[in-house]
Amino acid sequence: MNPYIPFPAEIIKINQQTDIDYTFFVKSDLKVRSGQFVQLSIPRVGEAPISISDFGDGYIEMTIRKVGKVTDELFEKKPGDFIYLRGPYGNGFRVEDNFGKDLILVVGGTGLAPVKNLINYYYNNLDSLNSFRLIVGFKSMKDRLFVPELAKWGEKFPVNVTLDRPEEGWFGSTGFVTEHVQKMVIKDIAKTHVIIVGPPPMMKFTALGFQQIGMPKEQIWMSFERKMSCGLGKCGHCKVDETYVCLEGPVFRYDKAIKLVD
C-alpha cells in the first residue's frame, strides 16, 4: 500500500467549540495512540496536519481551528460528506509511563485538543496514577474548548481553568499558566511527571518554571505542534537539526526537546 495515498473517511458529526474551532467526528478504524496526528486532505484544495483529539471504536475525533484554505473548505462540510486521511503519524504519549506517578498536565489553549484522549484515559483509569492535576489556560471565556468535559473531569481530579486576564462573568482563576506553576506545591518531586502542551513560548516558560521548583528535565514531556507536511520524514519541513519531528515526535522528553532549536 502506497503510504502517500489517502483514504476516504465519512464525517458523522460536527460539534462547535468556539467561533473558529470545531470538532469533527469521522468514521475510522485507525489504530491510534494519544498524541498522534493525521494528514487531512480535500481534493483540489490541499492537505494539512491535524492532531487527533480523541478516538474510539469506529471513529476518530479532530478538533480543528479555521486558519487556512484547507480548513476554510473543511468548515463547509457537513455530516455525510467525505474527507481524506492518511496516517496516523508520530510517536504519541505512552500512558503506562505515568502509572503510579503524580501526574501534572499543563495545557495552553488549543493544546488541549491533542491531549483530550490522554485525559479521558486517566479519567477512566484514575487508579493507575497516584494523583492527577490539570491546569488549562485560555485567552478568554470565548476561547475555551471542551467546556462540558472540563466540568466532568473536575468531578474526579483537580482542574484549574485560568484565563489570561480578568473578565466580566468569569469567577475562576486568572493569569498565565506559568503563574500557577510557580505557586504549585509538589510533595514528592521524584515521583512526579509533568506534561506540557501549547504554544512554543508557553511550553518554554512553563518548563523553566518547573525547573525552578526542582523538577528534573527527565520528568517533563512536551508535544511539539509544528508544521508537518509529508508525515513520513521525506520532505524535511519539520526537521530541526538532525531530528525529524514527524518521526521522532511530536512528543519529546524535555531533555531532548530543549535541544531542538530552529
Side-chain angles (χ1 to χ4, degrees), residues 13-29:
K13 184 170 67 170
I14 303 171
N15 287 347
Q16 183 174 357
Q17 299 288 338
T18 72
D19 291 343
I20 57 172
D21 298 286
Y22 283 68
T23 298
F24 291 78
F25 298 78
V26 302
K27 289 182 181 179
S28 173
D29 293 319

Side-chain angles (χ1 to χ4, degrees), residues 86-104:
R86 57 184 178 88
Y89 298 119
N91 287 309
F93 296 99
R94 289 165 46 89
V95 295
E96 61 272 19
D97 287 349
N98 302 307
F99 287 174
K101 304 294 184 181
D102 295 306
L103 180 60
I104 302 170

Side-chain angles (χ1 to χ4, degrees), residues 193-205:
H193 283 180
V194 174
I195 295 173
I196 306 169
V197 187
M202 169 265 173
M203 292 198 295
K204 174 183 176 180
F205 289 107

